[in-house]
Amino acid sequence: MRKGAKFEIDYVASIWWVTWYARNKLLFEGKKPDPRETVAKAKAIVVAYQSMQFKEQDSPRSIKEKEAQRWNPPPSSKLKINVDAAMHAESQMAGLGAVIRNSQGQVVVAAVKSINFQGDVSIAEAKAVQWGMEVASKASFTNVIVETDCSMVANLANNKVSNKTEIWWTIAKIQSSRQDFQSIDFQHVPRQCNTSGHSLAKRALKSSGSVIWRDEFPTDVLCLFDGFI
């Protein structure tokens, strides 16, 4: 809806309200309002309301919430790895995707891996983290941030406790691989901040084995990053 039309609708609604209010004043208090004052009051109500709406949309809280809903680049001293897993129950396969970007948001490495898998989704998500770390290690990247949209895996990788013992085998490998990095952090992000990792994971289901691309990428892989920071 265009801005002008929205104002007109609010304006008409406000006129109805102040007219109803003025009618009650006349009926119950015998006060006859000035029509010009009624119209001016209606317009003032709309302007005040829309001003508050504008402030709310641009408030620090709303800006912070918007920033939290999109991918943010890492500091210049680090690279960011986004990972995800996609499942195909019928074929008992899982696709693992990992994309590594620099502080300018440029993709420097993309990788996919398909594995035979039948189990809990969280275990596949943990294997995606392990895959991302493996790809980074092969590229000799030692200062990284790993982002996953699975909060449980992020918590486990950060040494938080879980009662899902079957995932600990993969988490133990993740913890062991930390020694390959000078600095590594694990973060949970919403799915909308991890779309590239998710797209690569689905792409992995169409591949056999594992593939790592660096600097040069197939057209279909590049398309996954179009419009993305």
Side-chain angles (χ1 to χ4, degrees):
M1 181 183 296
R2 62 187 177 85
K3 186 176 180 180
K6 179 69 168 58
F7 180 87
E8 291 167 4
I9 292 172
D10 291 341
Y11 191 22
V12 171
S14 296
I15 289 177
W16 286 345
W17 185 86
V18 295
T19 300
W20 172 81
Y21 181 80
R23 170 184 172 277
N24 287 343
K25 281 283 187 180
L26 178 62
L27 288 176
F28 300 110
E29 299 179 19
K31 295 181 179 179
K32 187 176 181 179
D34 185 337
R36 292 172 297 180
E37 181 182 341
T38 299
V39 172
K41 186 179 294 185
K43 187 173 182 179
I45 290 172
V46 175
V47 171
Y49 169 76
Q50 293 191 337
S51 176
M52 289 299 295
Q53 289 288 99
F54 179 78
K55 288 179 181 179
E56 182 177 336
Q57 290 172 3
D58 291 339
S59 68
R61 179 180 176 182
S62 64
I63 292 173
K64 187 175 181 179
E65 288 174 349
K66 288 178 182 178
E67 288 179 348
Q69 300 303 312
R70 63 181 178 85
W71 183 87
N72 289 303
S76 58
S77 60
K78 294 190 176 186
L79 294 166
K80 181 172 282 189
I81 311 169
N82 282 87
V83 300
D84 204 1
M87 311 291 293
H88 193 274
E90 293 181 4
S91 61
Q92 297 184 357
M93 297 289 293
L96 311 179
V99 55
I100 304 178
R101 284 182 289 251
N102 59 23
S103 58
Q104 283 76 48
Q106 299 168 328
V107 177
V108 293
V109 175
V112 296
K113 183 178 183 179
S114 60
I115 59 174
N116 294 318
F117 185 80
Q118 185 179 16
D120 192 272
V121 174
S122 60
I123 300 176
E125 296 282 2
K127 288 185 178 296
V129 170
Q130 184 183 1
W131 170 236
M133 293 173 67
E134 181 183 336
V135 171
S137 182
K138 287 182 177 179
S140 299
F141 299 147
T142 59
N143 294 287
V144 300
I145 298 170
V146 181
E147 288 190 338
T148 170
D149 53 36
C150 181
S151 60
M152 188 184 74
V153 170
N155 288 337
L156 286 169
N158 283 313
N159 297 312
K160 294 187 178 181
V161 179
S162 170
N163 59 3
K164 299 197 70 172
T165 55
E166 67 271 20
I167 201 176
W168 275 102
W169 291 106
T170 304
I171 294 298
K173 293 177 182 177
I174 291 173
Q175 297 292 354
S176 176
S177 297
R178 293 181 74 135
Q179 63 185 358
D180 297 332
F181 300 86
Q182 291 181 13
S183 170
I184 183 166
D185 300 304
F186 300 94
Q187 298 178 170
H188 168 251
V189 292
R191 169 57 63 85
Q192 56 266 39
C193 300
N194 199 35
T195 54
S196 57
H198 183 65
S199 297
L200 276 174
K202 291 195 294 185
R203 166 68 164 75
L205 289 171
K206 302 176 182 179
S207 305
S208 58
S210 61
V211 185
I212 299 175
W213 299 281
R214 184 169 183 177
D215 298 325
E216 295 183 1
F217 310 95
T219 302
D220 68 316
V221 172
L222 282 174
C223 289
L224 300 178
F225 309 131
D226 282 350
F228 198 85
I229 292 180

PDB file of all heavy atoms in Angstrom, residues 122-134:
ATOM      1  N   SER A 122      20.263 -33.683  14.452  1.00  0.00           N
ATOM      2  CA  SER A 122      21.302 -32.933  15.159  1.00  0.00           C
ATOM      3  C   SER A 122      22.683 -33.541  14.939  1.00  0.00           C
ATOM      4  O   SER A 122      23.697 -32.828  14.920  1.00  0.00           O
ATOM      5  CB  SER A 122      20.984 -32.868  16.656  1.00  0.00           C
ATOM      6  OG  SER A 122      20.910 -34.160  17.217  1.00  0.00           O
ATOM      7  N   ILE A 123      22.730 -34.870  14.770  1.00  0.00           N
ATOM      8  CA  ILE A 123      24.024 -35.521  14.516  1.00  0.00           C
ATOM      9  C   ILE A 123      24.543 -35.108  13.140  1.00  0.00           C
ATOM     10  O   ILE A 123      25.737 -34.841  12.967  1.00  0.00           O
ATOM     11  CB  ILE A 123      23.896 -37.054  14.615  1.00  0.00           C
ATOM     12  CG1 ILE A 123      23.422 -37.461  16.011  1.00  0.00           C
ATOM     13  CG2 ILE A 123      25.225 -37.735  14.299  1.00  0.00           C
ATOM     14  CD1 ILE A 123      23.183 -38.951  16.179  1.00  0.00           C
ATOM     15  N   ALA A 124      23.642 -35.037  12.167  1.00  0.00           N
ATOM     16  CA  ALA A 124      24.034 -34.583  10.831  1.00  0.00           C
ATOM     17  C   ALA A 124      24.521 -33.138  10.884  1.00  0.00           C
ATOM     18  O   ALA A 124      25.485 -32.763  10.203  1.00  0.00           O
ATOM     19  CB  ALA A 124      22.864 -34.721   9.864  1.00  0.00           C
ATOM     20  N   GLU A 125      23.859 -32.308  11.704  1.00  0.00           N
ATOM     21  CA  GLU A 125      24.280 -30.913  11.851  1.00  0.00           C
ATOM     22  C   GLU A 125      25.681 -30.845  12.464  1.00  0.00           C
ATOM     23  O   GLU A 125      26.501 -30.002  12.087  1.00  0.00           O
ATOM     24  CB  GLU A 125      23.285 -30.152  12.724  1.00  0.00           C
ATOM     25  CG  GLU A 125      21.882 -30.039  12.145  1.00  0.00           C
ATOM     26  CD  GLU A 125      21.763 -28.980  11.063  1.00  0.00           C
ATOM     27  OE1 GLU A 125      22.788 -28.347  10.731  1.00  0.00           O
ATOM     28  OE2 GLU A 125      20.649 -28.791  10.549  1.00  0.00           O
ATOM     29  N   ALA A 126      25.964 -31.734  13.413  1.00  0.00           N
ATOM     30  CA  ALA A 126      27.293 -31.779  14.026  1.00  0.00           C
ATOM     31  C   ALA A 126      28.338 -32.206  12.998  1.00  0.00           C
ATOM     32  O   ALA A 126      29.460 -31.685  12.970  1.00  0.00           O
ATOM     33  CB  ALA A 126      27.296 -32.730  15.216  1.00  0.00           C
ATOM     34  N   LYS A 127      27.961 -33.158  12.141  1.00  0.00           N
ATOM     35  CA  LYS A 127      28.883 -33.601  11.088  1.00  0.00           C
ATOM     36  C   LYS A 127      29.143 -32.468  10.098  1.00  0.00           C
ATOM     37  O   LYS A 127      30.231 -32.372   9.518  1.00  0.00           O
ATOM     38  CB  LYS A 127      28.314 -34.831  10.376  1.00  0.00           C
ATOM     39  CG  LYS A 127      28.352 -36.101  11.232  1.00  0.00           C
ATOM     40  CD  LYS A 127      27.891 -37.311  10.462  1.00  0.00           C
ATOM     41  CE  LYS A 127      27.988 -38.574  11.307  1.00  0.00           C
ATOM     42  NZ  LYS A 127      29.390 -38.899  11.681  1.00  0.00           N
ATOM     43  N   ALA A 128      28.148 -31.589   9.897  1.00  0.00           N
ATOM     44  CA  ALA A 128      28.345 -30.436   9.019  1.00  0.00           C
ATOM     45  C   ALA A 128      29.380 -29.486   9.613  1.00  0.00           C
ATOM     46  O   ALA A 128      30.228 -28.937   8.898  1.00  0.00           O
ATOM     47  CB  ALA A 128      27.017 -29.708   8.791  1.00  0.00           C
ATOM     48  N   VAL A 129      29.322 -29.294  10.936  1.00  0.00           N
ATOM     49  CA  VAL A 129      30.326 -28.468  11.613  1.00  0.00           C
ATOM     50  C   VAL A 129      31.709 -29.096  11.458  1.00  0.00           C
ATOM     51  O   VAL A 129      32.693 -28.412  11.136  1.00  0.00           O
ATOM     52  CB  VAL A 129      29.978 -28.310  13.107  1.00  0.00           C
ATOM     53  CG1 VAL A 129      31.137 -27.658  13.864  1.00  0.00           C
ATOM     54  CG2 VAL A 129      28.725 -27.460  13.279  1.00  0.00           C
ATOM     55  N   GLN A 130      31.776 -30.390  11.659  1.00  0.00           N
ATOM     56  CA  GLN A 130      33.048 -31.108  11.513  1.00  0.00           C
ATOM     57  C   GLN A 130      33.586 -30.967  10.082  1.00  0.00           C
ATOM     58  O   GLN A 130      34.791 -30.756   9.880  1.00  0.00           O
ATOM     59  CB  GLN A 130      32.836 -32.584  11.856  1.00  0.00           C
ATOM     60  CG  GLN A 130      34.104 -33.416  11.843  1.00  0.00           C
ATOM     61  CD  GLN A 130      33.823 -34.887  12.110  1.00  0.00           C
ATOM     62  OE1 GLN A 130      32.670 -35.286  12.286  1.00  0.00           O
ATOM     63  NE2 GLN A 130      34.875 -35.693  12.127  1.00  0.00           N
ATOM     64  N   TRP A 131      32.691 -31.052   9.105  1.00  0.00           N
ATOM     65  CA  TRP A 131      33.071 -30.906   7.702  1.00  0.00           C
ATOM     66  C   TRP A 131      33.598 -29.492   7.427  1.00  0.00           C
ATOM     67  O   TRP A 131      34.621 -29.312   6.773  1.00  0.00           O
ATOM     68  CB  TRP A 131      31.877 -31.228   6.808  1.00  0.00           C
ATOM     69  CG  TRP A 131      32.034 -30.905   5.356  1.00  0.00           C
ATOM     70  CD1 TRP A 131      31.218 -30.097   4.609  1.00  0.00           C
ATOM     71  CD2 TRP A 131      33.018 -31.390   4.437  1.00  0.00           C
ATOM     72  NE1 TRP A 131      31.638 -30.044   3.301  1.00  0.00           N
ATOM     73  CE2 TRP A 131      32.756 -30.836   3.170  1.00  0.00           C
ATOM     74  CE3 TRP A 131      34.121 -32.239   4.572  1.00  0.00           C
ATOM     75  CZ2 TRP A 131      33.528 -31.087   2.048  1.00  0.00           C
ATOM     76  CZ3 TRP A 131      34.914 -32.495   3.447  1.00  0.00           C
ATOM     77  CH2 TRP A 131      34.612 -31.935   2.201  1.00  0.00           C
ATOM     78  N   GLY A 132      32.928 -28.493   7.955  1.00  0.00           N
ATOM     79  CA  GLY A 132      33.392 -27.116   7.761  1.00  0.00           C
ATOM     80  C   GLY A 132      34.768 -26.891   8.334  1.00  0.00           C
ATOM     81  O   GLY A 132      35.616 -26.212   7.734  1.00  0.00           O
ATOM     82  N   MET A 133      35.018 -27.467   9.502  1.00  0.00           N
ATOM     83  CA  MET A 133      36.341 -27.343  10.128  1.00  0.00           C
ATOM     84  C   MET A 133      37.394 -28.058   9.291  1.00  0.00           C
ATOM     85  O   MET A 133      38.531 -27.566   9.143  1.00  0.00           O
ATOM     86  CB  MET A 133      36.298 -27.918  11.537  1.00  0.00           C
ATOM     87  CG  MET A 133      35.425 -27.120  12.504  1.00  0.00           C
ATOM     88  SD  MET A 133      35.227 -27.939  14.113  1.00  0.00           S
ATOM     89  CE  MET A 133      36.901 -27.835  14.764  1.00  0.00           C
ATOM     90  N   GLU A 134      37.037 -29.208   8.748  1.00  0.00           N
ATOM     91  CA  GLU A 134      37.977 -29.963   7.911  1.00  0.00           C
ATOM     92  C   GLU A 134      38.350 -29.173   6.664  1.00  0.00           C
ATOM     93  O   GLU A 134      39.532 -29.117   6.265  1.00  0.00           O
ATOM     94  CB  GLU A 134      37.348 -31.303   7.525  1.00  0.00           C
ATOM     95  CG  GLU A 134      38.240 -32.193   6.666  1.00  0.00           C
ATOM     96  CD  GLU A 134      37.550 -33.488   6.253  1.00  0.00           C
ATOM     97  OE1 GLU A 134      36.601 -33.914   6.963  1.00  0.00           O
ATOM     98  OE2 GLU A 134      37.948 -34.054   5.218  1.00  0.00           O
TER      99      GLU A 134
END
